[in-house]
Amino acid sequence: MKKVISVLLALVLVAGLVACGGGKSDDPNVGMWNAVSASMMGIEMEIDELFESGVTLELKANGKFTIDVDGEKGNGKWEYDRDTIKFSASDADMTGTVKSGMLTLENLLGMGIDITFEKEGGYTTGAAEGAQNTASDAGYYVIDSITEDGETFDSASLKEMGIAYYILLSEDGTAEISTDSVTQGTWTPGKLHYQEDGEDVVSNYTLDKDLLTIELGDGITLVFKRSDATPPAQAPGGTPSTDDLDALQQWWNGDWYGYIYLPTADGAWEELEDGWWDCFATIDSDATGIGSIFLWDDGGELGNVELQITEHGVSAAGVAMSENGHFNKMEIGHADWIIDPGTNTQSYEHLIIIDGTFEDPDGSEYGGFMYEIWLRPWGMLWDDAAEEDLPPGYYDWYLDRYTGPMPTMDEFLSGTAPQPGTSGTGGDASGNPLVGTWLAEGDGAGGTANKDYVYEFRADGTGVYTIFGDARPFTYEIDGNTINIVYYPGTTDESEDTLEFELDGDTLTITTWIDTKVYTRQ
């Protein structure tokens, strides 16, 4: 990459950067500028990743400039007007901007590379003005509009949809970014620095008067407006800061949920072949990568294994390698488990898969099994996963827990964990009388007994309708004596229906366009 770029730049520069106005000796733009960062196709890179010898730009008071790119020099003329610098050459015109004392050169020599420069000795407009420039972007910005695929939603529409994004740029260089969750980071003029799924991310922004704009790509633009209101301490649904954890710790550490699957089993374990059930894990590691994974299900402990987590994986998530411990009754030693998310054949985000073979320590006559353990962070939706890859309890109870606190490990192991959903005759604390599980007593039209129809209504407006063993997730709203229901929301199978209902204590009668059924609260 470096060699190709250097050759192309050499061809451009040798062709001659020669070329209106310029600057004066007291123009703060006049002087030597050194490249400090670069971006190419939206990817932020260190300068030395592209140019071993760096990039320098000298703006002269006579309106001429000299640029040195990896040892290849060219020159031309420059002019400055309202934060914009235009560079004129015989065959390679360029445009740059100067904001908050930083100069950004866009599309360097037509190569598709943006370069940000810092001036030697600082931006020479005086210490006071320099400080003002540095802090000029600081402020509290609230979402003003979102444009997606050409359709723009204004602030009023976003408020109706419950979208209250904001960005807080503090004068100390820290940033708080609130979208669907709260992310802590830092900022420099024109850039937000933060971590996402354990990876360092830089998002560019532009500031025009009081409007801060972020282009996300794929036709999505977010515009925030400076506000005099008091910023919230933390956005609803936010999580505590993890600034004290490094990137790998943030990706691996914490509580996980998923399942264990046995594709084959023999001997004493034969009945478990092709079986699967929910399981849980907690991963804890320090800054050196030394840590452990504790696995359990509602029957007790499954395993406890020491890990060494390093960055030397296929992806930025790194890799975790077992050192010692046990799974079920079998000893796990060095490198028996190599957990590398980058090798997953599935494209699901933030997924780890542990696989291996269990041989019963009590003797070969007891057999063993092959196992796969699929885990994703607790509270994460699996709506990008195929139905066959979902944990068995995903619809039955996990989505209820998604909006509430996770029971502690002790609660699960002791069996004292509060059960998801609610029971009893009065719905739940939200006042929704339908919350609970309802089993069909019979077919109101034909009077035949039928136990194959089950409705589960949850307090968060979601639920599952099971018909002859086929679980159909849904969302719903109650309007008087009708239920407006959407099956398989957000999928290609999404469908809507309206049900009429009557509730008499623990008896629920539901009428559809097909028939009427009576259900009893379980």
Side-chain angles (χ1 to χ4, degrees):
M1 168 76 81
K2 289 182 180 178
K3 184 175 181 180
V4 172
I5 289 176
S6 296
V7 170
L8 292 174
L9 288 172
L11 292 173
V12 174
L13 291 168
V14 169
L17 283 175
V18 292
C20 264
K24 302 178 181 179
S25 60
D26 60 351
D27 189 326
N29 298 306
V30 171
M32 183 66 73
W33 297 77
N34 298 313
V36 294
S37 66
S39 65
M40 186 174 185
M41 294 183 292
I43 302 173
E44 297 290 326
M45 291 172 280
E46 300 293 334
I47 284 294
D48 59 8
E49 291 183 30
L50 294 175
F51 310 105
E52 292 182 357
S53 301
V55 182
T56 60
L57 175 66
E58 183 181 5
L59 304 184
K60 301 176 182 179
N62 61 1
K64 295 184 178 181
F65 74 90
T66 299
I67 187 169
D68 186 324
V69 182
D70 227 7
E72 301 290 340
K73 293 184 178 180
N75 54 70
K77 293 185 178 181
W78 68 278
E79 60 179 345
Y80 174 78
D81 182 28
R82 298 182 181 180
D83 295 339
T84 300
I85 296 183
K86 295 182 179 180
F87 298 87
S88 301
S90 60
D91 55 3
D93 292 348
M94 299 177 292
T95 301
T97 58
V98 178
K99 290 187 178 180
S100 302
M102 305 293 285
L103 188 155
T104 300
L105 190 58
E106 301 169 356
N107 194 17
L108 175 67
L109 303 176
M111 297 296 297
I113 305 171
D114 296 341
I115 306 288
T116 299
F117 296 82
E118 186 175 56
K119 190 179 179 187
E120 286 187 5
Y123 202 59
T124 56
T125 56
E129 184 176 350
Q132 182 179 2
N133 285 339
T134 301
S136 63
D137 291 6
Y140 173 48
Y141 300 84
V142 298
I143 192 68
D144 190 60
S145 69
I146 296 178
T147 300
E148 183 174 3
D149 295 330
E151 183 177 7
T152 299
F153 303 89
D154 60 17
S155 58
S157 300
L158 296 175
K159 186 175 181 180
E160 290 180 2
M161 291 186 285
I163 296 176
Y165 298 168
Y166 71 81
I167 295 176
L168 176 62
L169 305 181
S170 301
E171 294 189 8
D172 62 0
T174 60
E176 186 170 283
I177 306 156
S178 172
T179 52
D180 296 326
S181 61
V182 175
T183 300
Q184 307 295 333
T186 60
W187 69 277
T188 54
K191 297 181 184 296
L192 295 170
H193 307 260
Y194 55 96
Q195 288 194 330
E196 186 175 283
D197 294 331
E199 297 184 7
D200 293 327
V201 178
V202 178
S203 290
N204 297 322
Y205 71 83
T206 58
L207 184 61
D208 183 9
K209 297 181 180 178
D210 288 333
L211 297 181
L212 186 153
T213 302
I214 298 176
E215 302 279 353
L216 296 181
D218 295 327
I220 301 176
T221 300
L222 277 64
V223 178
F224 297 79
K225 188 173 184 179
R226 192 189 295 267
S227 173
D228 294 329
T230 302
Q234 190 180 72
T239 56
S241 170
T242 55
D243 289 345
D244 56 334
L245 302 180
D246 63 25
L248 287 179
Q249 286 179 292
Q250 290 189 46
W251 200 95
W252 290 88
N253 283 11
D255 295 318
W256 298 70
Y257 163 68
Y259 59 90
I260 178 171
Y261 169 61
L262 309 186
T264 63
D266 56 30
W269 307 92
E270 186 175 359
E271 291 184 1
L272 294 179
E273 182 169 325
D274 203 34
W276 61 330
W277 62 93
D278 289 332
C279 70
F280 312 86
T282 295
I283 299 177
D284 185 34
S285 66
D286 60 24
T288 68
I290 297 175
S292 64
I293 178 170
F294 183 83
L295 291 149
W296 78 99
D297 61 15
D298 59 3
E301 179 180 336
L302 292 173
N304 194 2
V305 178
E306 291 185 12
L307 300 174
Q308 175 67 58
I309 302 173
T310 70
E311 61 184 0
H312 305 302
V314 174
S315 70
V319 61
M321 181 181 296
S322 64
E323 292 298 337
N324 62 76
H326 68 273
F327 172 68
N328 204 355
K329 300 178 290 182
M330 188 176 75
E331 181 178 346
I332 300 295
H334 173 71
D336 285 344
W337 285 357
I338 298 178
I339 314 168
D340 190 337
T343 63
N344 294 342
T345 55
Q346 294 78 10
S347 59
Y348 307 153
E349 180 185 1
H350 219 136
L351 167 71
I352 62 175
I353 299 177
I354 305 169
D355 55 35
T357 300
F358 173 82
E359 298 175 357
D360 200 312
D362 293 337
S364 59
E365 67 269 24
Y366 291 97
F369 53 82
M370 296 180 65
Y371 59 90
E372 296 177 9
I373 303 172
W374 291 43
L375 296 167
R376 300 179 85 174
W378 174 264
M380 185 175 186
L381 290 176
W382 293 56
D383 50 1
D384 59 339
E387 285 288 325
E388 62 267 21
D389 291 337
L390 295 176
Y394 183 73
Y395 290 128
D396 291 339
W397 67 269
Y398 179 77
L399 290 180
D400 275 348
R401 287 292 185 207
Y402 180 74
T403 56
M406 179 179 185
T408 66
M409 186 181 302
D410 287 341
E411 286 176 332
F412 265 116
L413 295 180
S414 65
T416 60
Q419 296 301 307
T422 57
S423 60
T425 60
D428 77 332
S430 69
N432 183 344
L434 295 185
V435 170
T437 300
W438 302 83
L439 180 66
E441 289 185 334
D443 187 337
T448 59
N450 193 328
K451 301 296 184 182
D452 291 317
Y453 297 91
V454 182
Y455 273 102
E456 180 188 354
F457 294 97
R458 302 175 182 138
D460 64 353
T462 66
V464 178
Y465 174 47
T466 303
I467 175 171
F468 298 106
D470 180 23
R472 303 178 182 182
F474 62 76
T475 59
Y476 73 99
E477 293 180 349
I478 298 176
D479 183 9
N481 287 325
T482 62
I483 306 169
N484 299 317
I485 194 165
V486 177
Y487 296 99
Y488 300 107
T491 73
T492 56
D493 296 324
E494 179 177 309
S495 61
E496 298 183 14
D497 201 356
T498 299
L499 315 177
E500 295 184 2
F501 77 93
E502 293 182 6
L503 183 63
D504 183 9
D506 287 338
T507 300
L508 173 65
T509 303
I510 294 180
T511 301
T512 69
W513 67 277
I514 298 177
D515 58 17
T516 297
K517 285 187 173 60
V518 179
Y519 296 79
T520 302
R521 189 191 298 272
Q522 302 302 295

